[in-house]
Amino acid sequence: MPDVDARAHVVIIGGGIGGCSLAYHLAQLGETDVVLLEKGELTSGSTWHAAGLCTQFNASRILTKLLMYSIELYKGLEAATGQAVDFREVGSVRLASTTDRMDEFRHAEGKARVVGLPFELIDVERIRELCPLLTLDDVLGAAWIPTDGYIDPSSAANALAQGARDRGVRIERRTTVTGMRARPGGGWDVETDRGTIEAGIVVNAAGMWAPAVGRMASVELPILPLAHQFVVTDAVAALRDIDHEIPVIRDPDRSFYVRAEGQGLLVGPFEPNPTTWAELGPPSDFESKLLPPDLPRIEDVLALAADRVPAFAEAGIKNVINGPDGYTPDGKCLMGWVPGARDLFVLAGFSIFGIVFGGGAGKYAAEWIVQGQPSEDMWEVDTRRFGPWAAARPYLSAKALDVYGHEYAIHYPHQERPAGRPLQTDPLHDRLAARGAVFGFRQGWERPLWFAPAGVAPSDDLTFHRPNWFAHVGQECRGVRERVGVLDQTSFGKYEVTGPGAEAFLEGLSANALPAAGRVAVTQMLNERGGIECDLTITRLADDRFYVVSAAGTEVHDLDHLWRRLPPDGGVRLDNVTGSIGVLTIAGPRSRELLATLTDDDVTNEGFGFLTARPIRVGSAPVLAMR
């Protein structure tokens, strides 16, 4: 007989902040048939060595709401669980030394107002009142969030775990998962060094080890460990002269944060040249451990911090914390059902900000598992925003390092970072680049966004004001509206649905009626609550053959939505043909005139009606033409 209970509806693998928060929130929703498995002690991965910073500053409205929930959760966690968490609501000050940085803060202030987050732009005098330790000669102003703060990471996770236990969740420490087998009727057999557990749903919350756990289920997850260092000083006399605890100070233009740590200071730099660690995966026994200090790697940023905080320059360094955290290609966590795997959920990859993200992420993940979907749109962290390409080592490494190195860079609207690119290009890429195309990145594809005319550099000027491409895009729009344009949309998600059950399958998922053979329908696919999951076109090529096209960015999501609903008795085949079919869109009042010069087929209005699809030849190439 196994040492652990042999069955649970939900098995969570990983006892860090994410796994503990999920267990807590599942129990709050009434789902208590839950087992959390931790190979070491709770929080012994990345959670225990985190700096515990809790900020609500974020470029995303939805993620800001997630962070706001985390803060409220932590404020009341001690009362709810009886466990001390030492949440310190000291507020945060984010300094600005450039006009672009002030623009970024004004942009953030508007978003904060929408979600009800206390957020204030303050002047130098107010900054000095809040933190007299700073030299402010080059500072223009700051963003002040009074409800920010910090928390003891291990205490927070253990309080969440205790709250879950109090509601009936089982937590098994010193239990290593060694394998997973999908059960024919659904669910998984989770093999451990203490026996096998039959699970209805498995949640991979294993942090840095999430990729290794994923491989047990034949899944590759784009998470890579990076090493982050911070230092803790001896006692700083200047702190004793201040009648309040200083807020968390962030100087993004110098790329560091600082807060009080007892009688000393905790200073954390984001160096421009970070390093990966254990790219093939952390050792299994790396628990409650740190990496050797590597001060030369961060000394330049520490010098900038000492210039900003003279008291730091005079203090001795007591501890150097060098700990790894799991990063994704965009620095946001992975949350949601794993595409291509039934009954497998992931909640991992929080980077160094897992403590403040973990509380809210656990709430929304629990809603997703219990209620079918989260109460907010979690697309920004949905694991299906990535395809298999994201876990390719060169790309993942380049993107993770770029995210870390630019953690405190200004994040401009519409910015497209170049690291790891190009990854996937279509046959027209080089020709379009030669014509001045400026490319964006969508689901692994390079896609032209606008064209620089002769004499104009083919690149975006980064700004919070009117961008350099505004007038050029306006010209392109007028050209299409008044004449004709050709758009390369090969990056569209494209699928074929075939078989004797294909019609009934798509009919049951589509909000609109399916088209007749040779016709096109524009439709949505809805979730169980009536919300829109997919927006796509369906073309019927034959009685039992359909061609389905969706947006490039939602390729994996939409394919997964279809795959999960395939009838269990067969009769329907689903194929992803995205990479094997090119797409050119011809648009504008002269589009038919242009096409008529390239084909002998009838493309008149009478011969090729609206929402019609049929094979024609363009030059010598056979194509499927869809109007």
Side-chain angles (χ1 to χ4, degrees), residues 54-73 94 104-105 107-119 145 147-148 332 356-361 363-364 376-378 380-381:
C54 293
T55 183
Q56 299 154 97
F57 186 95
N58 195 279
S60 161
R61 178 182 63 85
I62 292 297
L63 296 187
T64 298
K65 293 180 72 172
L66 181 153
L67 298 172
M68 292 171 67
Y69 172 80
S70 292
I71 298 293
E72 288 303 311
L73 172 69
R94 197 172 292 250
E104 181 184 36
F105 291 171
H107 194 63
E109 182 186 30
K111 292 184 178 181
R113 191 181 305 119
V114 171
V115 297
L117 171 66
F119 189 111
I145 304 178
T147 53
D148 277 0
K332 301 172 185 175
V356 69
F357 270 92
K363 163 187 163 67
Y364 292 116
E376 297 283 354
D377 180 2
M378 289 288 112
E380 291 178 67
V381 295

Side-chain angles (χ1 to χ4, degrees), residues 211-287:
V213 172
R215 291 184 197 108
M216 296 178 188
S218 300
V219 169
E220 290 290 337
L221 296 176
I223 297 175
L224 187 70
L226 301 187
H228 175 67
Q229 296 183 92
F230 60 84
V231 302
V232 179
T233 73
D234 294 325
V236 173
L239 285 176
R240 294 196 295 267
D241 300 329
I242 304 173
D243 62 3
H244 60 272
E245 183 175 349
I246 64 170
V248 177
I249 304 295
R250 292 176 178 85
D251 190 339
D253 294 316
R254 300 190 182 201
S255 200
F256 75 92
Y257 58 85
V258 59
R259 67 166 175 83
E261 175 69 5
Q263 298 300 311
L265 296 172
L266 184 155
V267 181
F270 284 95
E271 66 275 22
N273 298 303
T275 182
T276 60
W277 175 74
E279 289 200 19
L280 299 180
S284 178
D285 62 351
F286 189 84
E287 58 184 68

